[in-house]
Amino acid sequence: MDIHISCQKDMLDLDFIFEYLHHNAYWCEGIPRATMEKSIEHSLCFGVYLGSQQIGFARVISDYATFAYLGDVFIDLNYRNKGYSKLLMDAIIQHPDLQGLRRFSLNTADAHSLYQKYGFTRLNKPDRGMEIVRPGLYLE
């Protein structure tokens, strides 16, 4: 089957994405459907397809000039360890709208080795970073 990656939002399988994020993603477990749809609407999205079936997803939040944040990256559990995450990352890193950025960031609990292959490193000066975190927000 043909594997391909597209940024066309009209191709995204919102049911598939919601099912994964709502039930399987540690970073947004319980996310409401409307919140997920709003996040997709305001992001550069990447769908991973095997034939016509979506098997993966990622989105980038960016001003397209100086900064980008990579989030909601996943490959369906049934299709992991086949190199699809690398194809997805290749497409993201090479996307023409994401070139020349001063900072490209992400957070991950378990995929450091994948992202390091694309130039991501641990924070150089973590003492400068700040955040507001609301764990379990969607589970309340």
Side-chain angles (χ1 to χ4, degrees):
M1 289 191 116
D2 179 37
I3 186 83
H4 63 280
I5 296 167
S6 174
C7 290
Q8 293 181 289
K9 288 184 184 177
D10 60 352
M11 290 181 59
L12 294 172
D13 182 341
L14 297 180
D15 293 333
F16 165 76
I17 297 167
F18 176 70
E19 184 67 24
Y20 186 89
L21 293 178
H22 185 80
H23 295 291
N24 299 309
Y26 65 84
W27 60 89
C28 64
E29 183 180 14
I31 189 170
R33 173 84 182 228
T35 301
M36 180 211 71
E37 289 180 3
K38 187 175 183 179
S39 73
I40 288 171
E41 179 184 345
H42 296 283
S43 299
L44 173 61
C45 297
F46 295 80
V48 183
Y49 303 90
L50 190 58
S52 61
Q53 178 185 359
Q54 187 169 356
I55 63 163
F57 177 75
R59 66 188 185 93
V60 176
I61 303 106
S62 182
D63 64 5
Y64 300 110
T66 64
F67 178 80
Y69 177 83
L70 176 60
D72 293 341
V73 181
F74 71 89
I75 299 294
D76 183 274
L77 300 171
N78 297 316
Y79 296 94
R80 292 198 179 163
N81 300 313
K82 298 180 187 308
Y84 299 147
S85 62
K86 292 178 187 75
L87 293 174
L88 174 57
M89 285 304 301
D90 287 342
I92 293 168
I93 293 298
Q94 295 170 13
H95 193 282
D97 290 342
L98 301 175
Q99 302 308 303
L101 300 172
R102 185 182 33 136
R103 181 161 299 174
F104 203 152
S105 67
L106 61 83
N107 290 309
T108 185
D110 55 6
H112 296 82
S113 63
L114 170 65
Y115 298 120
Q116 286 170 343
K117 293 173 185 167
Y118 295 92
F120 288 90
T121 63
R122 296 193 182 269
L123 297 178
N124 186 34
K125 297 184 180 185
D127 55 315
R128 292 185 180 186
M130 296 180 72
E131 63 185 352
I132 295 173
V133 179
R134 296 184 178 104
L137 177 68
Y138 306 132
L139 300 175
E140 296 174 357

